């Protein structure tokens, strides 16, 4: 299984409950193509959406998502890189995304070294790195942070000299699993 990312933009804002219901409605189609929805990250203004899936390959995801009615024009395969000792609670607390695009391929290690060198800037603004989604072509990166707000992340990234394309606050939407024990 590989990680597959779908990015979408909308003229009219989406509501979190609509994103959840559309994702849950697509689950039978996802099952058919062995696609596992991991989570969706909806911008606070409802106009940007990043969906994270796992699938056997990008083509399986492309077919399954297209059959589920999704616009797949910005679908890409990638890898997930978590902060050391990342807990489920810390992942759920992530609330700001930094998009990075590169003209030429980069290595994850090179960008991580820049971030490590600027860790004091992150700490000064109470910004904590949580996870990176890194494209297989190595020209795109989505980084998730826990922070007081998007402006704190923007300032910390700027002061650390990090490449930034866009910064935005989001809400995490994930499948709700009923943990009630059976009767």
């Amino acid at each position: 299984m590989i990680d597959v990312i779908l990015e979408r933009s909308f003229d009219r804002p989406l509501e979190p409950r609509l994103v959840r219901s559309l994702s849950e409605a697509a689950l039978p189609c996802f099952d058919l193509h062995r696609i596992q929805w991991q989570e969706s990250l909806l911008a606070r203004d409802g106009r940007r959406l990043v969906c994270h899936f796992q699938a056997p390959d990008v083509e399986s995801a492309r077919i399954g998502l297209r059959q589920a009615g999704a616009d797949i024009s910005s679908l890409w395969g990638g890898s997930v890189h978590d902060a050391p000792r990342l807990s489920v609670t810390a992942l759920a607390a992530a609330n700001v995304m930094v998009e990075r695009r590169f003209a030429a391929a980069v290595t994850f290690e090179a960008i991580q070294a820049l971030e490590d060198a600027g860790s004091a800037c992150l700490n000064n603004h109470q910004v904590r790195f949580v996870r990176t989604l890194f494209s297989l072509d190595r020209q795109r990166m989505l980084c998730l942070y826990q922070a007081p707000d998007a402006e704190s992340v923007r300032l910390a990234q700027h002061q650390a000299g990090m490449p930034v394309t866009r910064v935005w606050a989001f809400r995490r939407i994930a499948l709700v699993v009923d943990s009630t024990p059976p009767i």
Side-chain angles (χ1 to χ4, degrees):
M1 298 291 270
I2 68 163
D3 292 285
V4 180
I5 309 303
L6 176 64
E7 295 181 81
R8 302 277 312 270
S9 295
F10 303 94
D11 293 328
R12 295 185 347 172
L14 296 180
E15 292 292 326
R17 71 176 171 272
L18 176 61
V19 173
R20 183 185 316 279
S21 68
L22 289 172
S23 298
E24 289 173 349
L27 289 176
C29 191
F30 292 170
D31 287 344
L32 182 65
H33 296 281
R34 298 183 14 216
I35 301 168
Q36 298 169 358
W37 175 47
Q38 301 300 298
E39 64 185 345
S40 293
L41 309 171
L42 179 63
R44 290 284 176 182
D45 69 2
R47 295 179 186 271
R48 296 192 57 71
L49 180 69
V50 170
C51 300
H52 174 202
F53 304 94
Q54 287 188 331
D57 51 57
V58 176
E59 189 58 27
S60 297
R62 185 173 282 115
I63 292 167
L65 287 163
R66 186 181 310 123
Q67 288 178 355
D71 174 356
I72 56 165
S73 57
S74 186
L75 181 74
W76 47 274
S79 57
V80 174
H81 304 268
D82 289 337
R85 299 171 301 284
L86 179 66
S87 68
V88 173
T89 305
L91 180 58
N95 62 336
V96 177
M97 180 176 301
V98 173
E99 296 181 36
R100 306 183 203 284
R101 292 183 191 233
F102 309 100
V106 299
T107 64
F108 175 79
E109 294 75 18
I111 300 303
Q112 187 62 51
L114 283 175
E115 181 126 350
D116 291 346
S119 64
C121 297
L122 297 177
N123 290 335
N124 289 342
H125 291 281
Q126 300 175 355
V127 174
R128 182 171 169 233
F129 167 73
V130 176
R131 169 177 278 174
T132 293
L133 306 169
F134 188 45
S135 67
L136 294 178
D137 69 5
R138 302 182 347 210
Q139 293 185 295
R140 179 166 199 71
M141 188 178 269
L142 303 176
C143 300
L144 311 183
Y145 295 89
Q146 179 185 359
D149 52 43
E151 188 58 23
S152 298
V153 175
R154 189 175 292 110
L155 286 169
Q157 296 288 304
H158 175 72
Q159 290 172 359
M162 295 294 297
V164 173
T165 303
R166 182 178 297 137
V167 178
W168 47 281
F170 66 83
R171 296 174 218 168
R172 182 175 185 263
I173 302 164
L175 187 61
V176 177
V177 178
D178 183 4
S179 59
T180 306
I183 298 176

